[in-house]
Amino acid sequence: MSDDWDWQWDASLYAGSARHYAVGRMAYPVALGEAIRDALELDGRGRLLDVGCGPGSLTLLLAPYFAEAVGVDADGEMVEVAAARAVEQKLSNVKWQQLRAEELPGELGTFQVVSFAQSFHWMDQELVADRVRGMLAPDGAWVHVGATTHRGIEGEQELPHPRPPWDAIDELVTRYLGPVRRAGRSALPTGTRPGEEVVMRAAGYRGPTRVVVGGNEVEQRTVDQVVAAVFSLSSSTPHLLDAELPAFEADLRELLTKASDNGLFSEQRREIEAVIWR
């Protein structure tokens, strides 16, 4: 990992957020799966590995396009929630394992596609890029999905309900947790690590090809969903609030209830980009 970014991963990064993540993040649209399917000419064969799978948001979307899918995540609770969601969706071709990306290949075998959705920035990118390259089939592809799914687009366009008051939410988080972004047991004063394309080219990947879907679709959200979205973030996971969690949640719910339309909000979704490397 490069010397100018010294944040170190620890197991508390998303501790306690898995059930909130599954509820509070806006789901990836079906169009994203279809676009990746078409770009890679997926036909129901081969294997998918989703690294940093969280509660299975991308894994479960893409699994029908493969004979087998494997989701791995460093957080055991995320893996448990993902497995439960697979059962709910009656997907029987998915396996799950608690595993850090840096521990790959982990005897998992070879894959046609290895995907990362909002996860690669937390990893030792050079190490992971090198190890995944050895796990890809000769015609395999790396897919990185970039998206912001906890909140939508700011704007003046009139929507069916008010937008969630994200500026006020951010101020509330700052009041309880301080002005520097928290992440696990440490902090990220300059944000998450950039430079993915440099890492990928240095590791010998070709590309990228970019596929963009969605943007501006209006989604209705409830107070409970927005609360869950806040707790799904590494910067405001429940464990960071410790003994102040009940007070914070009470303040958050009061703020949201006052700003909502009978408990409802509207948000315009952001576009989602899939970056494909060979």
Side-chain angles (χ1 to χ4, degrees):
M1 190 172 292
S2 60
D3 295 336
D4 58 352
W5 198 74
D6 59 2
W7 177 83
Q8 297 295 316
W9 177 87
D10 69 74
S12 71
L13 180 61
Y14 280 100
S17 69
R19 65 183 178 87
H20 299 292
Y21 203 114
V23 173
R25 300 293 182 110
M26 290 180 275
Y28 293 125
V30 172
L32 174 64
E34 293 173 342
I36 293 172
R37 176 200 63 193
D38 294 345
L40 299 179
E41 300 181 347
L42 303 176
D43 58 5
R45 294 180 289 181
R47 303 176 73 219
L48 165 73
L49 175 64
D50 188 24
V51 184
C53 65
S57 307
L58 183 65
T59 328
L60 299 175
L61 181 68
L62 297 182
Y65 304 127
F66 295 88
E68 181 182 69
V70 179
V72 300
D73 198 278
D75 188 294
E77 188 180 356
M78 288 286 192
V79 172
E80 291 175 5
V81 172
R85 295 177 76 194
V87 172
E88 290 172 3
Q89 296 182 31
K90 299 180 180 179
L91 286 171
S92 59
N93 67 329
V94 190
K95 298 179 180 179
W96 309 95
Q97 185 171 335
Q98 183 178 356
L99 186 76
R100 287 191 66 199
E102 290 81 358
E103 297 172 320
L104 293 171
E107 300 183 354
L108 293 176
T110 302
F111 296 87
Q112 182 182 359
V113 175
V114 177
S115 59
F116 296 75
Q118 305 181 65
S119 61
F120 190 48
H121 56 272
W122 293 119
M123 301 169 187
D124 183 332
Q125 295 180 338
E126 290 89 348
L127 176 65
V128 174
D130 181 64
R131 292 191 175 178
V132 167
R133 187 179 178 193
M135 300 175 71
L136 283 170
D139 61 344
W142 168 304
V143 177
H144 178 87
V145 173
T148 300
T149 52
H150 74 281
R151 65 192 291 177
I153 300 168
E154 297 178 3
E156 301 299 326
Q157 179 179 333
E158 186 174 347
L159 301 178
H161 305 289
R163 289 176 169 83
W166 283 109
D167 287 346
I169 294 169
D170 292 342
E171 290 174 4
L172 182 65
V173 171
T174 296
R175 198 172 89 209
Y176 275 86
L177 294 176
V180 179
R181 176 177 171 178
R182 301 284 294 277
R185 296 191 184 96
S186 55
L188 284 174
T190 60
T192 54
R193 187 186 186 203
E196 175 196 341
E197 292 198 11
V198 173
V199 171
M200 297 298 288
R201 290 195 175 93
Y205 291 83
R206 294 179 290 107
T209 301
R210 301 179 186 276
V211 177
V212 179
V213 301
N216 292 309
E217 302 93 341
V218 177
E219 183 158 325
Q220 179 175 292
R221 308 188 76 192
T222 66
V223 167
D224 285 344
Q225 287 173 319
V226 178
V227 170
V230 174
F231 287 143
S232 78
L233 298 169
S234 61
S235 56
S236 51
T237 53
H239 79 92
L240 291 176
L241 291 148
D242 198 21
E244 292 190 297
L245 177 59
F248 173 83
E249 182 168 353
D251 286 346
L252 176 60
R253 287 187 176 277
E254 181 181 7
L255 168 66
L256 293 175
T257 300
K258 288 180 178 179
S260 71
D261 175 12
N262 293 314
L264 297 177
F265 296 102
S266 293
E267 292 218 75
Q268 290 174 272
R269 295 185 59 115
R270 298 170 185 265
E271 66 181 23
I272 300 173
E273 180 182 61
V275 182
I276 300 170
W277 297 86
R278 304 279 185 171

